Amino acid sequence: MLKELLKLFVFAFFLIPIGKISAAVRTFEVPVSLLELFAPQADWQAGIIGNISGGGNVVVKIYYKESKTLVYQASLTSTSTTYSGVGVNYKRSDLGSGATYYPDVWNSLDIKTALFAIERKRQKTDGKFHRYLSDGMMLSVEMTENKGSIQTVKIPGIGIIDQNGGNALFHPDHYCYDLKHNTDPVTKIWKRVKMPRLDMGADVLVAAHRGFWGDNLGAGYPENSTGAFEAAQKYTDVLETDIMMTKDKRMVISHDYSLSRLSNYPGPLTDYLFDLNSGVLNGLLLRKRNTDVSVYPYLFFENLVDILLQKHMVLTVDIKDIRARVVNGQCVANCDYDTKLHGDTARLKIKESWMTCLQTCIQIAEEKNALQYLAFKTPYTYDELAAYVSESTLRKLLFMPVIQPKRKDFLNFTDGWIDKGGKKVIAYETNFLNERDPYLKSFTRDGVTYENLLHYVFQKTGLRSGCYPEEPIGQKGTVTRFVDWKMKYTVNDRRGDHYWLMAVPYGKIMVMTSDRPDIWDKVNQIYNMTSQ
């Protein structure tokens, strides 16, 4: 009974009479990142999306919690489906002692000026002049609804807040949804991934495939080494790498099934990781791109998770399932997995090897309290994943559905993930090959015409598409997981052409999973310089 009375009291407390109408008021606390707010790629758009009935309004006010100084205020008096709102001009003298460094007249939509002034006052007060653009500023958000409802609020340095006081980009069960984690590096990185900028000349998000490796004429760090992963952070905080399973179910960071190209393993290329126990990796050292043996050992998945935790980076996990080796149309190894020979039986074996990797990676990450650092690439539907992983766990994860080249049901696959995956998706990898690919053709769906699949993804979800540029990694071109080298015919596969990719409609906001994060960093710079 006491609990029920307390609930009634709290409800009454947050109903404020406005004339004859009661306005609902909700308050939330959130730490703000000034580093995020004033970063070169910062999104300064702000405002409210909401529904307003006749004569109603909604108001959002944000205060610096410590001094209760107003730093932002916007109001809506009519329904808006885009972020908007009206501000108020305040005199500095009306805002109290916390506004010492505000301008003489301050518009309440200008949160940048307000927070910068607050930071300056904090430095003067505590004498910590070395502190600048900190992440340690706590704000209080107040939402007032009078004959209206707020859907989301977008605030620079914070992101998008839903009406329940969570990060609207994420599922409520995900780590990043909780606003108290708003300034955690992992939250800031995933927000960056999930908030592409069409207003920039280019906003390519780079995922460093196997780290940053092979530079200096091949004498740089070897792929998938500790050094390569740490060096990638000069260009991006997002890693992408392949995970493979050994015979004794250990998860190894490796691009190839074979060990000989990648390390000083003395055996033949036909010794495959999935047929070997993990002990065979003991003492092996990875090779550099120029084939010299380095000092770096093979890494297991748990080692890479430790790097993520230490370096504050995130990982898109590309699980490599077990496959048959087919040469010139004929199976030459591991033929139980050949779908041409064994049909659905082989397909099930392939899927179960993939799902075993997924389940094991989840278990390892859970043990290290690191699920929030991962997004799993997947060629499978959400329902297929749900057959192997509990719904309660799926809600804590992030995914990047992979739409493989030449997939005929690509729109149904995409729609399924939009419907079932929702906010658990960070991006959609649309692996087109050339301008003739159906993914890049205009199409009409439900009476609406879209320029291509990338446009469809953005319009439906607000998310990026993605591509694997697959630049050559040596004089012999690219290499398969069975260590077959290929020199791509660029008429058929144009993914290594950086400028062509940037010319694809909505290509300038893609996630590029690349062995050359340094080049994509330059491409971003070039397009942003020429757009100014």
Side-chain angles (χ1 to χ4, degrees), residues 146-213:
N146 170 35
K147 294 178 64 178
S149 62
I150 294 172
Q151 294 180 11
T152 56
V153 179
K154 187 174 183 181
I155 306 295
I158 297 175
I160 303 176
I161 304 174
D162 68 17
Q163 61 182 192
N164 296 314
N167 192 320
L169 297 174
F170 301 92
H171 188 280
D173 287 351
H174 191 269
Y175 176 92
C176 296
Y177 178 80
D178 192 332
L179 288 183
K180 72 182 180 183
H181 301 142
N182 185 60
T183 56
D184 286 10
V186 66
T187 303
K188 291 195 286 186
I189 297 168
W190 288 131
K191 284 195 299 181
R192 174 90 178 87
V193 175
K194 296 188 73 167
M195 297 177 70
R197 298 282 303 282
L198 280 175
D199 59 313
M200 297 176 66
D203 186 32
V204 170
L205 196 292
V206 182
H209 183 231
R210 307 181 240 184
F212 179 57
W213 58 284

Side-chain angles (χ1 to χ4, degrees), residues 8 11 13 18 41 150 181 211 231 240-241 268 285 307 353 355 374 395 445 465 492 497:
L8 287 172
F11 179 74
F13 180 78
I18 300 180
Q41 73 277 9
I150 294 172
H181 301 142
E240 195 267 12
T241 193
L285 297 174
I307 292 173
S353 72
M355 295 295 176
L374 306 176
R395 290 197 295 263
R445 194 163 181 83
S465 290
N492 293 330
D497 184 338

Side-chain angles (χ1 to χ4, degrees), residues 246-460:
T246 62
K247 186 177 181 180
D248 55 347
K249 304 294 191 293
R250 292 290 302 280
M251 299 298 119
V252 181
I253 311 300
S254 178
H255 177 272
D256 300 359
Y257 291 133
S258 302
L259 303 177
S260 299
R261 179 185 76 88
L262 297 173
S263 72
N264 59 345
Y265 178 70
L269 284 173
T270 51
D271 286 353
Y272 303 126
L273 256 175
F274 49 75
D275 288 329
L276 303 170
N277 286 324
S278 56
V280 73
L281 301 176
N282 293 339
L284 293 183
L285 297 174
L286 297 172
R287 291 186 186 276
K288 302 177 181 180
R289 183 179 283 193
N290 65 6
T291 73
D292 290 347
V293 178
S294 75
V295 298
Y296 292 98
Y298 271 95
L299 297 175
F300 292 101
F301 183 70
E302 53 265 35
N303 305 135
L304 182 48
V305 172
D306 289 338
I307 292 173
L308 302 178
L309 292 167
Q310 292 163 9
K311 296 296 180 179
H312 302 301
M313 304 178 79
V314 301
L315 174 69
T316 58
V317 183
D318 191 1
I319 293 171
K320 288 294 185 281
D321 45 28
I322 298 176
R323 297 272 174 153
R325 186 178 185 193
V326 177
V327 179
N328 296 325
Q330 299 296 317
C331 184
V332 298
N334 212 34
C335 294
D336 287 350
Y337 290 79
D338 188 344
T339 57
K340 288 186 177 179
L341 293 176
H342 300 291
D344 288 342
T345 301
R347 290 186 188 91
L348 180 60
K349 289 175 71 70
I350 293 169
K351 177 193 284 190
E352 290 188 338
S353 72
W354 193 98
M355 295 295 176
T356 298
C357 287
L358 173 66
Q359 292 166 330
T360 307
C361 288
I362 290 172
Q363 179 184 347
I364 291 169
E366 283 183 317
E367 291 171 354
K368 292 179 175 289
N369 295 316
L371 279 181
Q372 66 270 27
Y373 288 83
L374 306 176
F376 290 94
K377 291 189 171 184
T378 174
Y380 295 105
T381 67
Y382 189 86
D383 287 339
E384 287 177 300
L385 298 185
Y388 291 84
V389 179
S390 70
E391 179 63 29
S392 60
T393 298
L394 290 175
R395 290 197 295 263
K396 299 176 184 177
L397 299 175
L398 294 173
F399 296 96
M400 188 173 180
V402 177
I403 309 168
Q404 300 287 21
K406 301 180 181 180
R407 181 165 188 151
K408 293 182 179 179
D409 67 338
F410 64 91
L411 281 176
N412 290 335
F413 178 78
T414 303
D415 284 344
W417 267 102
I418 291 172
D419 179 47
K420 297 289 184 69
K423 295 178 181 179
K424 295 185 282 290
V425 177
I426 61 160
Y428 289 79
E429 186 163 293
T430 49
N431 276 322
F432 51 83
L433 299 177
N434 56 60
E435 62 273 14
R436 301 181 300 279
D437 196 301
Y439 298 178
L440 297 187
K441 299 295 185 182
S442 175
F443 62 88
T444 300
R445 194 163 181 83
D446 298 326
V448 180
T449 299
Y450 301 91
E451 293 184 63
N452 55 25
L453 180 58
L454 289 69
H455 180 204
Y456 183 76
V457 165
F458 182 77
Q459 287 296 110
K460 289 286 188 175

